[in-house]
Amino acid sequence: MKPQKLTDYELQRLQNIRRNDEMMAALKLHSKATQLSNFKRQRVEAKSTRVKSEKKPKTETPIVIRVRRSLRTRGIPPDCEGLDRDSVAPTTPSKEKPLSVVSLGPLSMATARESAHSDSSFIESLMGMAQDVSVPKGNAGDSLELESLSLDSDNIARVVSGRITNVRFFPTSSVKMIAAGNKFGNIGFWNMGENEVHLYRPHNAPISGILIQPHCISKIYTSCYDGVLRLMDAEKEIFDLVFESDETIYALSQPPNETNCVYLAEGSGGLTMWDNRAGKRSSHWDLHDWRINTIDFNCQNPHIVATSSSDATACTWDLRCTNRNDLKALRTFTHKRSVQSAYFSPSGGSLATTSLDNTIGIYSGVNLEDTAVISHFNQTGRWLSTFRAKWGWDDKYLFIGNMNRGVDVVSAVQRKIVMTLESPHMSAIPCRFDINSYEVGMLVGATSGGQLYVWTSR
């Protein structure tokens, strides 16, 4: 077979191959490639015959996780009484300068004064009121029409800074003056119709009680959570130290027929009678398992007292039936949560309680056996003072704040909320109330912003 003739392209290709082989032979690339291939084969064989050592477990330092458990879950009793609802908020606002510490012992009104203006006119007013002997207007509340209550912009004033914990009208018809205490230990006095507010700081902690002596208005008892009881004497211009307790004082009261004794809610459920003439405790009773929030005496039977407690009960007691240091409750009224107040009606025939279980209890009858429970939202939270239903000028109505910046009016007869006092001037929630027993239709509501709103009858 005749061989095929190669094309020019194929001849050129073969010539290039021969030239490349000659160049590779001159550089000895084939031998070097063979040596490199043999070297890789030897490394693979050596690697395959190597015995793998066992991997040692990594030793780690154990991490200890500490789980926090409360005393309650561990079955250990609490080492303290805990914080009160009225003082759970920070006691020093971040935007205000730190409060100075009030020294114990007698404190002059000039030293305690925090208002910039002179208080000479205020002291003169107190001394003038002390000479006035007024008589409350009885049951004039029978003629009160709820629709006539209104709030005027002139009857609003910021008396103290921070949350108001206690508010009281002065028991006189000559001057419409109000005292308010706050959580910082301040006492502010506002004479309605005047722009000036007279501010003092006789205490270091939240004010728990203001007791204006009806027989001598120039003398005012004040108590606070630091366990101090003082007597403000305008004639001597002094806040005198009356009593200092190792326990917290949560409430302050006085029987209507007694001028020389005051009653203190002291510590975890204790009731103390302080005799100012003797300058000592005359009696002490352990009445409740936890703190007492209010003390109220029956105006018709001054030996009967009602107490409300955070142990979810309210009780009535007869102070005549004492067996040494023991008292037995006449009646016990039970709620599901803390009872914030228990007040007798003006006639003494009914008792009203306010509880954190969102109810208002009204008890009437000879032995307070007739019971009515009214639903009312009482969860004010940590920044507001708790609600406490306050009787009006008769046994018909109770007044209590609500979370919508209004005042709910509760009818003790109809046993329901019959009306809500509202006003565009209300810019805060009223929590604590007091009535002017010498002016029917005059009601003051105190807020957690330090304001006082005074409702009057048109």
Side-chain angles (χ1 to χ4, degrees):
M1 185 177 177
K2 188 177 180 178
Q4 294 180 357
K5 187 178 179 180
L6 298 177
T7 62
D8 295 339
Y9 172 78
E10 292 175 339
L11 292 174
Q12 183 65 38
R13 174 176 173 275
L14 292 175
Q15 185 180 356
N16 291 339
I17 292 174
R18 284 194 298 270
R19 187 176 65 249
N20 291 339
D21 289 341
E22 292 174 359
M23 292 177 62
M24 294 177 66
L27 296 174
K28 300 181 180 180
L29 294 179
H30 290 291
S31 61
K32 290 181 179 180
T34 303
Q35 292 176 3
L36 182 60
S37 178
N38 294 334
F39 177 75
K40 288 183 177 180
R41 190 179 297 111
Q42 291 175 1
R43 287 195 61 184
V44 171
E45 293 176 355
K47 186 176 180 180
S48 61
T49 57
R50 187 181 303 163
V51 178
K52 294 184 179 180
S53 59
E54 295 183 1
K55 188 175 181 180
K56 296 182 179 180
K58 185 184 292 185
T59 58
E60 298 181 355
T61 303
I63 300 175
V64 179
I65 301 176
R66 299 185 180 275
V67 180
R68 296 183 63 185
R69 297 180 60 197
S70 65
L71 297 178
R72 179 182 62 81
T73 58
R74 286 184 285 169
I76 302 175
D79 55 359
C80 65
E81 296 179 8
L83 294 176
D84 173 59
R85 281 186 59 105
D86 291 341
S87 60
V88 292
T91 56
T92 304
S94 58
K95 296 183 180 179
E96 299 183 10
K97 62 181 181 179
L99 299 174
S100 59
V101 177
V102 178
S103 60
L104 293 178
L107 188 67
S108 68
M109 292 180 66
T111 302
R113 186 175 71 244
E114 292 196 347
S115 48
H117 48 269
S118 173
D119 60 353
S120 58
S121 61
F122 168 64
I123 294 176
E124 290 177 1
S125 298
L126 289 182
M127 296 306 299
M129 286 188 289
Q131 306 300 324
D132 176 46
V133 180
S134 302
V135 178
K137 295 183 179 181
N139 285 333
D142 293 341
S143 60
L144 174 67
E145 295 183 2
L146 296 177
E147 293 76 10
S148 67
L149 295 177
S150 64
L151 178 63
D152 192 277
S153 59
D154 294 333
N155 294 334
I156 301 173
R158 190 171 190 264
V159 179
V160 294
S161 62
R163 185 188 342 154
I164 294 178
T165 56
N166 211 277
V167 61
R168 288 289 180 270
F169 268 108
F170 274 70
T172 177
S173 59
S174 59
V175 179
K176 297 177 179 61
M177 185 176 290
I178 306 172
N182 69 357
K183 67 175 184 178
F184 302 125
N186 293 106
I187 304 288
F189 298 92
W190 177 42
N191 189 354
M192 293 179 58
E194 296 183 1
N195 295 325
E196 292 182 343
V197 172
H198 301 279
L199 184 65
Y200 300 88
R201 186 163 178 262
H203 295 282
N204 287 316
I207 301 299
S208 58
I210 299 175
L211 197 58
I212 304 171
Q213 299 297 284
H215 65 284
C216 186
I217 295 177
S218 61
K219 294 183 178 181
I220 303 170
Y221 284 102
T222 59
S223 63
C224 77
Y225 283 16
D226 61 6
V228 171
L229 174 68
R230 290 189 181 275
L231 176 62
M232 172 184 159
D233 192 332
E235 183 178 0
K236 298 179 181 179
E237 298 186 18
I238 194 173
F239 285 95
D240 201 3
L241 179 63
V242 177
F243 172 62
E244 180 185 0
S245 173
D246 295 332
E247 304 282 353
T248 301
I249 298 177
Y250 291 109
L252 177 67
S253 187
Q254 189 175 43
N257 63 339
E258 182 61 67
T259 59
N260 295 306
C261 292
V262 293
Y263 288 76
L264 315 169
E266 188 181 5
S268 298
L271 178 66
T272 297
M273 183 174 71
W274 175 264
D275 190 335
N276 205 31
R277 290 173 299 184
K280 65 177 183 179
R281 283 190 183 124
S282 59
S283 298
H284 178 83
W285 305 277
D286 292 322
L287 304 184
H288 290 272
D289 295 332
W290 208 3
R291 53 170 284 186
I292 294 175
N293 294 310
T294 59
I295 309 167
D296 192 47
F297 287 88
N298 191 307
C299 60
Q300 298 299 324
N301 298 296
H303 53 273
I304 302 296
V305 61
T307 57
S308 65
S309 174
S310 293
D311 65 3
T313 65
C315 299
T316 55
W317 315 83
D318 190 341
L319 297 182
R320 298 172 302 177
C321 303
T322 58
N323 181 15
R324 296 182 181 179
N325 293 328
D326 295 330
L327 271 180
K328 290 186 178 180
L330 298 177
R331 289 291 308 275
T332 299
F333 311 94
T334 304
H335 285 264
K336 295 179 180 178
R337 294 188 62 184
S338 171
V339 182
Q340 289 298 305
S341 66
Y343 295 129
F344 283 109
S345 63
S347 70
S350 299
L351 181 75
T353 61
T354 309
S355 173
L356 293 182
D357 63 4
N358 293 332
T359 61
I360 299 171
I362 300 178
Y363 308 91
S364 57
V366 178
N367 297 314
L368 303 178
E369 71 280 357
D370 186 11
T371 303
V373 179
I374 301 167
S375 296
H376 187 273
F377 186 79
N378 296 327
Q379 305 300 317
T380 56
R382 63 177 297 184
W383 302 109
L384 304 179
S385 296
T386 53
F387 289 150
R388 294 177 178 179
K390 187 76 174 179
W391 288 98
W393 298 266
D394 55 20
D395 288 15
K396 290 183 178 180
Y397 300 111
L398 288 151
F399 298 87
I400 186 172
N402 63 38
M403 297 300 288
N404 296 320
R405 300 178 182 177
V407 183
D408 290 330
V409 182
V410 180
S411 171
V413 178
Q414 301 181 42
R415 301 184 177 185
K416 65 178 182 179
I417 298 174
V418 294
M419 185 180 178
T420 298
L421 302 179
E422 297 176 310
S423 171
H425 301 304
M426 290 287 297
S427 61
I429 298 172
C431 299
R432 299 292 165 86
F433 292 88
D434 194 33
I435 65 164
N436 188 343
S437 56
Y438 295 81
E439 185 73 26
V440 175
M442 182 169 287
L443 172 76
V444 60
T447 73
S448 290
Q451 301 100 338
L452 296 180
Y453 295 86
V454 182
W455 296 75
T456 56
S457 180
R458 291 190 296 265

